[in-house]
Amino acid sequence: MQSFRTEFENPIVEKDIIDLEQKIRAFREGKIHDEKFRSLRLARGVYGQRQPGVQMVRIKLPFGKITFQQLLRIADVSDEYGSGNLHLTTRQDIQIHYVSLDRTPELWAELERDDITLREACGNTVRNVTSSPDSGINPDEPFDVSPYAQAVFKYFLRNPICQEMGRKIKISFSSTEKDTAFSYIHDLGFIPKINEAGERGFKVMFAGGLGAQPFLASVTHEFLHEDLIIPYTESVLRVFDRYGERTNRNKARMKYLVQKLGLEEVNRLVAEEVIANKSKIFKIDTGTVPLPAFPAPVAGTEGKPADEQHYQQWLDTNVFEQKQSGFYGVYIKIPKGDIKTDKARIFVEAIRPYAADEIRITQNQGLLLKFVRKEALLPLYNNLNELNFAVPGFDSVADITTCPGTDTCNLGISNSMSLAVVLENVIHDEYPELVYEKDLKIKISGCMNSCGQHGLAHLGFHGSSVKANGKVVPAVQVMIGGGTVGNGEGRVAERVIKAPTKRAPAVLRAILDDFAGNSAEEESFHQYYDAKGKDYFYQLLKPIADLSTLQDHEYVDWGHEETFETAIGVGECAGVVIDLVATLLLEGEEKLQWAGEAFERGAWSDAIYHSYSVQVNTAKALLLDKGVNSSTQIGIIREFDTHFIQTGEVVLPESFSDFVLKINKNEPTEDFAITYLNQATEFYKQMKAKRGVEVNS
């Protein structure tokens, strides 16, 4: 691995990249524990891929906003370091695949030249903050939520309170009550409101989530003033960091903490953290995300499209009038969410004369162009059509959301991307009228973890398997009845039946035909599903799922030629076995340094939180020496009291709980910061010396 250095205007970014390089080197030399290194690189957007020896790199694009130059930069980086492909995600990110771990610092440095970050795109952090892609131009929005999403992203990026949580946190901002950012399946979902006094605020949805066990979010505030959304979020993250599960990954989300403690108790703990917050109110600068410059008027656009019917269909399904008079938003359907880099470059030049320099990535893996003048629609359509980017039916039944599945994901069970193409072809070929149907969504995930959001689809599929004739058959779990209701309300799809994957088209035809033939006039799909009931659909699909009629080709997944096997991809190479306790103590020393640096620059709250982490990590190290492993930070604090303070083995002026939990009993002042830092320093030195004596005795 070659040493890498670069220079940036932002020294924090430079330090981040150099730190990643040093940590990779230490990992290669066996000096960093595998689990610790995994946590560190994930928080830098570097994710293990299904294929051995290569990584997926996720780029963090707050609320999906990207400029022409940024898209070109990412394309160049993908060519140099990856596979020459850009994958758009359901969280409005872009992913690059087949990247060497050793080259990730260089890759990150290249991206930062155009203000693009990898930081906290993966890992146990605040993930990409999403918003409705049409925020800022939606005719029905109370106000533009983009600056609020930007402020939340910026406030919590590199924030000590959310760097090493038990699991990830997902936050969304919807532009209207239609809730197109799906607040109901987020840890924190915000829907804009204006109260009777004319003040801005948000309805707050809390502790939702998909995954293998979906939970619908609860309302914590019908109206939370705009100045309080960041302080409230900070309090929530502090509670999750301290009380969230850390051992059992399957129970380490906010939804399980609420299930364990109850919503009322979690709300009480959140309120208790307010005193320690860096900001009691936080006024958000609504000018931080200005409207992009409008494209120049277009001359000489007379003429007719080659296919007038196709053009009109595109206008009807992919184009809408913005709240800014005379301008239009244009949605682009991206098959499978994949754009080859050579095509991305042509695309930028094709849209540059006609659209504003701000593209938004959408939750269904498409793109939104803004501020297209009416007279520019036809030439824009012609350019897009040459690239096959003028396919009608954006966000319709014919626009299927999918995760990468077994193409690249370690957890994938089936090939969701190929299945999506097959089902879209069925709709375009056999049900062309459904390209206008936007109230019925189809979503596919390669496994039960719902990266393709199958749990909130009207018709969802996730990868699975069944056994027949002594063989494993690739299958889909069919889920029906999910979707967005609005204003924070949503529905989780129900598991109905498993069917061989090759029969998914037959499942689709059966449901679409039955809906067309047996639903009442003006009845929505949700009303139709509720009226018929789950068993009706089980009986409808049971003959399709019958395994006694399997054909040879059904033992092979879509997009494959070999017989199906359920296999998890090989992970990254592991470091040698090392002393985990020593590693935790070494981390304590690093965190003390961070605390001191934060104090020196006047960041009292950051210094306090780093000092808190030193004490908890150090206590965890000594508990591990006794074979005691607690799954939460609050558990570590209590166990240390039990095994060290109450036994007299360690003497402190008070209980360890009182000693450490001063953090949420005091304002983050300079006086408290230095007192708490000194306390953490002395505790660390005392415990490190104690451990050294025990090891050497």
Side-chain angles (χ1 to χ4, degrees):
M1 180 177 175
Q2 294 183 346
S3 181
F4 168 73
R5 293 292 182 269
T6 188
E7 292 184 1
F8 294 95
E9 293 181 7
N10 188 338
I12 296 174
V13 170
E14 183 174 20
K15 183 176 183 297
D16 254 354
I17 295 173
I18 291 171
D19 182 60
L20 175 61
E21 183 213 12
Q22 291 172 341
K23 292 296 196 300
I24 291 172
R25 188 183 301 277
F27 171 68
R28 294 294 195 202
E29 295 170 355
K31 296 176 182 177
I32 298 180
H33 190 273
D34 182 42
E35 286 298 317
K36 181 62 184 175
F37 180 70
R38 181 180 291 116
S39 174
L40 182 138
R41 64 167 169 72
L42 285 171
R44 275 77 178 166
V46 182
Y47 195 97
Q49 200 170 299
R50 187 180 190 89
Q51 292 76 13
V54 290
Q55 315 292 314
M56 175 271 282
V57 171
R58 182 178 294 149
I59 298 165
K60 194 170 190 178
L61 299 169
F63 51 97
K65 177 178 175 289
I66 188 170
T67 66
F68 297 161
Q69 177 56 36
Q70 287 175 326
L71 184 57
L72 293 173
R73 172 68 67 183
I74 295 170
D76 288 346
V77 165
S78 181
D79 281 344
E80 173 66 24
Y81 299 93
S83 61
N85 184 65
L86 311 179
H87 181 69
L88 312 181
T89 79
T90 57
R91 293 206 61 75
Q92 301 177 286
D93 296 309
I94 292 178
Q95 293 177 176
I96 298 172
H97 293 91
Y98 296 95
V99 178
S100 164
L101 175 64
D102 294 337
R103 299 193 75 193
T104 53
E106 299 173 46
L107 178 153
W108 188 357
E110 287 300 312
L111 290 174
E112 286 285 357
R113 297 185 192 284
D114 282 300
D115 196 26
I116 306 166
T117 191
L118 307 183
R119 181 77 192 221
E120 294 154 57
C122 307
N124 301 329
T125 59
V126 174
R127 296 290 185 86
N128 198 32
V129 178
T130 62
S131 84
S132 299
D134 61 4
S135 57
I137 64 173
N138 187 313
D140 299 322
E141 66 185 16
F143 52 87
D144 183 5
V145 300
S146 306
Y148 300 86
Q150 171 67 21
V152 170
F153 154 75
K154 185 175 180 180
Y155 189 89
F156 293 105
L157 189 72
R158 298 184 178 87
N159 193 312
I161 70 170
C162 51
Q163 295 305 296
E164 296 177 330
M165 298 182 293
R167 280 297 300 280
K168 58 194 172 188
I169 289 286
K170 295 183 176 180
I171 300 173
S172 74
F173 286 83
S174 285
S175 59
T176 71
E177 289 186 359
K178 288 185 178 178
D179 202 9
T180 52
F182 314 132
S183 68
Y184 59 96
I185 53 96
H186 280 77
D187 297 287
L188 283 168
F190 296 97
I191 303 172
K193 302 287 182 181
I194 295 179
N195 67 11
E196 294 178 357
E199 298 171 315
R200 291 182 174 189
F202 293 85
K203 181 175 183 177
V204 181
M205 306 303 299
F206 178 61
L210 287 177
Q213 289 186 280
F215 283 68
L216 295 175
S218 301
V219 181
T220 57
H221 297 81
E222 289 290 347
F223 181 87
L224 182 66
H225 192 277
E226 61 178 344
D227 294 349
L228 298 178
I229 64 167
I230 281 181
Y232 175 73
T233 302
E234 180 174 350
S235 295
V236 166
L237 296 182
R238 285 172 172 272
V239 169
F240 183 60
D241 193 38
R242 189 166 302 133
Y243 289 86
E245 173 68 31
R246 290 172 181 271
T247 302
N248 183 354
R249 184 174 174 82
N250 294 326
K251 295 291 184 181
R253 293 296 302 276
M254 183 72 77
K255 60 189 180 182
Y256 294 113
L257 180 62
V258 171
Q259 185 185 57
K260 177 183 176 181
L261 300 181
L263 182 60
E264 184 177 348
E265 174 62 8
V266 173
N267 284 339
R268 186 191 69 78
L269 292 170
V270 169
E272 197 176 63
E273 289 295 320
V274 170
I275 192 171
N277 279 350
K278 184 186 298 185
S279 307
K280 303 301 183 290
I281 63 169
F282 189 96
K283 292 188 177 296
I284 290 170
D285 181 358
T286 56
T288 54
V289 187
L291 292 178
F294 301 165
V298 179
T301 59
E302 295 81 5
K304 291 184 178 181
D307 186 336
E308 291 192 44
Q309 182 180 357
H310 187 269
Y311 177 56
Q312 188 59 51
Q313 196 175 48
W314 177 78
L315 289 174
D316 292 341
T317 61
N318 292 36
V319 178
F320 67 96
E321 192 168 0
Q322 297 181 188
K323 71 179 184 181
Q324 294 84 5
S325 179
F327 291 100
Y328 292 81
V330 175
Y331 284 114
I332 300 174
K333 182 182 181 303
I334 305 296
K336 301 188 294 183
D338 279 348
I339 308 177
K340 293 297 183 183
T341 51
D342 55 349
K343 197 170 184 178
R345 294 186 185 91
I346 299 170
F347 167 71
V348 168
E349 298 312 312
I351 67 174
R352 193 187 292 274
Y354 308 118
D357 188 5
E358 182 191 306
I359 304 170
R360 295 283 183 100
I361 300 168
T362 68
Q363 279 84 347
N364 63 339
Q365 301 166 292
L367 299 172
L368 171 61
L369 309 182
K370 295 181 169 187
F371 292 98
V372 179
R373 297 177 187 273
K374 188 171 185 178
E375 63 270 22
L377 287 171
L378 179 55
L380 175 63
Y381 163 81
N382 288 333
N383 284 359
L384 292 175
N385 204 31
E386 288 184 15
L387 293 169
N388 196 32
F389 279 178
V391 178
F394 180 87
D395 204 30
S396 71
V397 183
D399 190 358
I400 297 175
T401 302
T402 176
C403 70
T406 53
D407 278 19
T408 54
C409 179
N410 254 327
L411 301 176
I413 297 173
S414 66
N415 192 329
S416 50
M417 297 181 81
S418 293
L419 176 58
V421 172
V422 170
L423 296 186
E424 285 184 354
N425 288 339
V426 168
I427 294 164
H428 281 290
D429 294 343
E430 302 175 31
Y431 305 88
E433 71 281 0
L434 291 184
V435 298
Y436 295 97
E437 176 57 73
K438 296 192 178 231
D439 293 325
L440 203 166
K441 314 293 185 193
I442 301 173
K443 298 177 185 288
I444 307 173
S445 299
C447 71
M448 66 181 67
N449 285 312
S450 211
C451 294
Q453 300 177 336
H454 63 266
L456 57 82
H458 297 77
L459 175 58
F461 300 93
H462 80 66
S464 189
S465 62
V466 292
K467 288 186 177 180
N469 304 317
K471 299 179 182 178
V472 180
V473 181
V476 287
Q477 173 68 62
V478 181
M479 302 184 69
I480 309 178
T484 304
V485 176
N487 198 26
E489 293 185 46
R491 297 164 53 114
V492 173
E494 292 188 302
R495 291 178 175 84
V496 174
I497 199 169
K498 282 186 182 182
T501 298
K502 287 292 180 68
R503 298 182 186 181
V507 170
L508 175 62
R509 292 186 187 99
I511 291 173
L512 293 180
D513 291 345
D514 196 83
F515 180 47
N518 294 315
S519 60
E521 189 175 351
E522 303 298 322
E523 190 174 44
S524 71
F525 188 86
H526 285 157
Q527 292 169 330
Y528 153 74
Y529 179 76
D530 292 343
K532 298 295 185 184
K534 177 179 175 179
D535 187 63
Y536 175 87
F537 293 92
Y538 175 79
Q539 298 300 332
L540 175 70
L541 300 177
K542 189 176 179 182
I544 298 173
D546 182 7
L547 299 179
S548 66
T549 58
L550 280 171
Q551 304 295 311
D552 288 345
H553 72 95
E554 293 178 305
Y555 292 94
V556 180
D557 198 7
W558 292 108
H560 291 261
E561 297 180 358
E562 72 281 2
T563 302
F564 177 77
E565 293 181 3
T566 53
I568 301 299
V570 180
E572 302 79 5
C573 57
V576 298
V577 177
I578 61 173
D579 184 347
L580 182 56
V581 176
T583 301
L584 285 169
L585 290 173
L586 188 62
E587 285 176 26
E589 196 166 311
E590 186 176 45
K591 290 176 189 294
L592 274 177
Q593 181 182 340
W594 295 344
E597 290 171 353
F599 184 84
E600 288 301 318
R601 64 176 185 268
W604 319 132
S605 183
D606 290 359
I608 291 165
Y609 213 85
H610 286 311
S611 300
Y612 164 78
S613 298
V614 168
Q615 295 170 90
V616 173
N617 264 32
T618 303
K620 180 179 180 179
L622 268 73
L623 285 167
L624 285 177
D625 252 354
K626 285 185 176 291
V628 179
N629 190 5
S630 182
S631 63
T632 64
Q633 288 184 349
I634 195 67
I636 290 168
I637 293 168
R638 291 167 179 165
E639 292 287 0
F640 195 85
D641 268 329
T642 300
H643 293 276
F644 287 94
I645 305 302
Q646 292 174 11
T647 61
E649 189 172 338
V650 171
V651 177
L652 296 176
E654 56 201 322
S655 72
F656 190 60
S657 295
D658 290 340
F659 190 71
V660 175
L661 294 180
K662 292 171 186 172
I663 187 172
N664 64 0
K665 307 294 190 298
N666 290 269
E667 298 276 354
T669 62
E670 179 180 4
D671 285 345
F672 179 63
I674 190 62
T675 300
Y676 200 61
L677 173 55
N678 288 338
Q679 170 184 301
T681 302
E682 289 305 312
F683 179 72
Y684 174 77
K685 289 179 179 177
Q686 182 184 351
M687 295 305 104
K688 185 179 180 183
K690 173 180 170 57
R691 210 264 171 162
V693 169
E694 290 174 349
V695 169
N696 295 321
S697 61

